[in-house]
Amino acid sequence: MKTLLKWVGLALLVLLAVAVYRLGGPLIGAKVEQQVAKVGLSPNQVAANGPLPGEVSLYAKELACQQKISTPGYFSSLNGAEIADSERSGIFPCATFLGSRDGPNQVFAWRSASDYPGIAYINSRHPGELYIMGGQVPDARDPIMAGPYLAKADAATGREIWRTYFDNANASGWFIGNTNLNILDNGKLALSWSNNALLVDGDTGLILKTTPLPSGEAPAPDSNFKHLTIAPDRTLIYKNQTRPVGCMGQGTLGIIKCIQEGMQMPKSVLVAVHPDTLEVLDMLQLPEPAPSPHIVTMYRDRIAIYIGLNQSVRRYFWDPQAKKLSADDSWVVHPIAKGQTTATAPSVIGEWIVTQLNGAGSKEVSSSIVAIHRDDAKRHQVVFPFGPLPPGGFSFAPPKAGADPENGMVYSADMGLGKVAGIKLDQATGEMKTAFVVDNITSTFQPVIGPKDQRVLLLTNAKLNVEKEPLMAAIFTDNYKEQLTWRDAATGKILAESDFFEPLTINSLTPPGFGGRIYFPTAWGRGFYVLQAMPKPAAAR
């Protein structure tokens, strides 16, 4: 009898186990799969546990705010231009910081569902869509990548909707450099690659028109029309970034490396192009190479183009009636001290044109900021926010100086020195005083988001994988990690900071998205990260 009871009990246990497996097996399996999927994710990604749509209730408010701001020539969106507007100001007053300004914050992150190698820029048109310019930032793993290409993606998941390739340097042999990303007021995208202008349908990705652009004195194989800005009359103002003759490097880093080896760049050229037909309206040969982007703004009642060149800062005019580009010989400044290198793209602060020096790096002199009065080029002020270059130091400041005209602030980033400064500019005199300096390694622009009295400064921050490795060696091999920080724009105080991810695309931008999101394009890895800062919940008691 006892033996029988044992066998009956054993049978019941087996049946119970089978029932548990059948009922709970899928749940257990799902839990296991979920944990496996989280292997290798950063804490920010684990916290998000999926795509980030942001605060969707803000979409309409942010779009309405942006549409109250005049953006002639550009699509009225939160991020319709490469760096905010024709002045490339980097100011996004309608973008939202969702975190706390006086308490701890939590950062959530999620990586795009699709891969976008070599991302340079990310822009938005309508709240649910993103445009991605990629395939033009070579790295140590992919020195000649396929591209450039333009892709459209879902703004929350990063899943690709379409992708249009313009070239493949492996097949064509052409020099491939970065190219700006701007959305015209009619929703189409005006772009370029190598020595070609093109117009792309923003809905379908169809290439509507292409036109060859004249490279001027620069040999065509060493010319890339990276720089495009839309003038207030909608004319496209193109300028080429030239590669030193004999240099075989690809991308912006390839140019910088050859310059640091003493190779000489050919002179750049300025070209005006019709926005709908892509007809070349006029061309003006520049007296020097101009490796940094230009800006377009109004001076009195004229369309003015300000350019930082290798040895000078100059002003040019575009006359839409005569369809002519012309140089303003009365406004030429030579602010670059002996030992310093090229001026980066200017910024506008009231009556002052501000530019950063040491765009190509210097082992002799620290970076500086110069402010030039737009009425009188002889009136200019200079500040060295990081002081003199320390012995054995290296100054490398490729991004343009950030600016906030409403608050009279200038932002200077020197990657070589590993510092970022906030500088107060007196708009009556042009005098500049350093408001704060923070230890922060970044090669990228310094976007400012939010309303005038609540500005937040976005800064990436790099951390070397090998502490003692020389900085440029780490940059050229991508041997570092990088994070995003949200800071008080007046003091530099950190409000929120993300995990460290793969390096950001060098000299790129972390643009804002609708609903409090920020996009972080990586040089390698898989696509880009969507980041969102929120107040950290109080710990449970």
Side-chain angles (χ1 to χ4, degrees):
M1 187 68 180
K2 291 182 179 179
T3 303
L4 179 62
L5 289 174
K6 286 182 180 179
W7 281 106
V8 170
L10 182 61
L12 288 173
L13 286 174
V14 170
L15 289 172
L16 181 61
V18 170
V20 169
Y21 174 78
R22 287 185 173 179
L23 293 173
L27 180 62
I28 294 169
K31 289 286 186 182
V32 171
E33 288 179 4
Q34 190 178 49
Q35 293 304 314
V36 170
K38 290 182 178 181
V39 172
L41 298 185
S42 73
N44 289 174
Q45 291 173 276
V46 172
N49 195 35
L52 292 165
E55 180 53 67
V56 297
S57 64
L58 292 174
Y59 288 8
K61 177 183 177 182
E62 291 169 333
L63 188 58
C65 168
Q66 186 63 47
Q67 289 176 343
K68 293 178 182 177
I69 300 173
S70 178
T71 56
Y74 288 90
F75 193 86
S76 185
S77 180
L78 193 70
N79 183 27
E82 177 208 357
I83 310 183
D85 46 43
S86 65
E87 294 181 356
R88 302 179 81 253
S89 68
I91 302 171
F92 301 90
C94 300
T96 307
F97 173 59
L98 296 174
S100 170
R101 297 184 68 94
D102 52 14
N105 289 298
Q106 162 76 55
V107 175
F108 299 88
W110 199 250
R111 194 157 56 179
S112 60
S114 300
D115 186 15
Y116 304 95
I119 297 175
Y121 301 109
I122 299 176
N123 290 68
S124 61
R125 191 174 62 170
H126 300 296
E129 60 188 13
L130 289 179
Y131 292 98
I132 300 159
M133 198 72 200
Q136 52 190 344
V137 187
D139 59 40
R141 297 163 184 79
D142 195 357
I144 306 181
M145 58 178 53
Y149 63 80
L150 174 69
K152 185 177 180 179
D154 178 86
T157 66
R159 187 170 301 282
E160 182 179 301
I161 298 170
W162 51 252
R163 182 180 303 196
T164 301
Y165 279 88
F166 307 136
D167 200 358
N168 184 331
N170 296 279
S172 69
W174 283 99
F175 164 46
I176 301 296
N178 285 17
T179 181
N180 292 8
L181 181 56
N182 296 278
I183 307 174
L184 284 163
D185 51 11
N186 58 13
K188 297 175 182 176
L189 288 92
L191 303 159
S192 63
W193 94 93
S194 263
N195 300 300
N196 303 278
L198 70 154
L199 202 61
V200 176
D201 186 295
D203 295 321
T204 66
L206 178 67
I207 297 175
L208 302 173
K209 294 179 185 294
T210 63
T211 296
L213 298 172
S215 61
E217 294 182 16
D222 295 311
S223 170
N224 174 59
F225 278 87
K226 174 187 185 296
H227 306 135
L228 162 63
T229 303
I230 305 171
D233 72 320
R234 300 186 70 245
T235 300
L236 309 178
I237 305 297
Y238 281 97
K239 182 177 63 63
N240 60 347
Q241 184 181 65
T242 61
R243 179 175 64 174
V245 176
C247 176
M248 300 307 294
Q250 293 280 2
T252 300
L253 273 183
I255 292 176
I256 291 173
K257 188 174 182 180
C258 289
I259 291 173
Q260 291 179 353
E261 291 173 359
M263 302 177 74
Q264 299 300 309
M265 304 173 71
K267 297 175 182 177
S268 298
V269 68
L270 203 60
V271 183
V273 175
H274 192 284
D276 301 316
T277 67
L278 297 189
E279 175 191 359
V280 174
L281 303 174
D282 196 21
M283 181 193 85
L284 185 66
Q285 180 67 57
L286 300 181
E288 306 169 35
S292 301
H294 57 280
I295 64 169
V296 179
T297 187
M298 296 299 298
Y299 175 66
R300 307 309 179 198
D301 59 349
R302 305 181 70 181
I303 297 174
I305 304 162
Y306 291 92
I307 305 177
L309 299 97
N310 272 3
Q311 299 297 327
S312 61
V313 180
R314 297 171 184 260
R315 179 165 65 200
Y316 296 85
F317 291 117
W318 165 244
D319 185 335
Q321 281 72 43
K323 292 182 172 51
K324 286 292 181 183
L325 292 161
S326 61
D328 182 358
D329 294 330
S330 70
W331 205 93
V332 179
V333 186
H334 292 84
I336 302 169
K338 184 179 180 181
Q340 288 186 320
T341 58
T342 190
T344 61
S347 296
V348 180
I349 298 189
E351 301 287 313
W352 300 88
I353 306 299
V354 178
T355 189
Q356 170 99 43
L357 303 182
N358 274 0
S362 174
K363 296 179 180 178
E364 301 176 39
V365 182
S366 187
S367 62
S368 62
I369 297 288
V370 58
I372 312 161
H373 199 277
R374 65 176 190 167
D375 289 339
D376 183 0
K378 294 179 181 178
R379 289 181 60 191
H380 53 268
Q381 301 279 353
V382 179
V383 66
F384 286 81
F386 311 113
L389 190 67
F394 178 60
S395 171
F396 180 47
K400 75 183 291 295
D404 180 356
E406 288 186 295
N407 290 303
M409 290 293 292
V410 181
Y411 300 101
S412 172
D414 192 316
M415 187 178 199
L417 296 177
K419 297 181 183 296
V420 175
I423 302 159
K424 194 74 174 178
L425 185 148
D426 185 325
Q427 297 195 43
T429 65
E431 183 181 3
M432 292 176 285
K433 293 184 178 179
T434 302
F436 66 82
V437 175
V438 294
D439 292 324
N440 189 105
I441 302 174
T442 182
S443 71
T444 188
F445 301 99
Q446 311 96 47
V448 176
I449 65 172
K452 176 184 176 180
D453 60 342
Q454 298 179 47
R455 294 279 203 246
V456 173
L457 177 67
L458 302 177
L459 292 180
T460 67
N461 180 40
K463 179 173 67 174
L464 300 185
N465 292 334
V466 180
E467 186 177 351
K468 298 297 184 180
E469 183 177 18
L471 179 64
M472 291 308 292
I475 292 172
F476 284 126
T477 57
D478 292 332
N479 194 25
Y480 62 100
K481 293 182 175 63
E482 200 158 5
Q483 67 174 174
L484 180 69
T485 64
W486 290 253
R487 295 176 179 266
D488 184 307
T491 65
K493 173 190 172 184
I494 288 183
L495 304 176
E497 55 186 330
S498 75
D499 294 332
F500 281 89
F501 306 113
E502 303 92 335
L504 186 89
T505 306
I506 191 167
N507 201 203
S508 185
L509 185 71
T510 49
F514 287 93
R517 294 168 295 176
I518 305 296
Y519 295 101
F520 186 102
T522 55
W524 56 273
R526 196 184 76 205
F528 59 88
Y529 289 93
V530 185
L531 306 178
Q532 181 177 320
M534 299 286 289
K536 191 172 185 178
R541 295 184 179 180

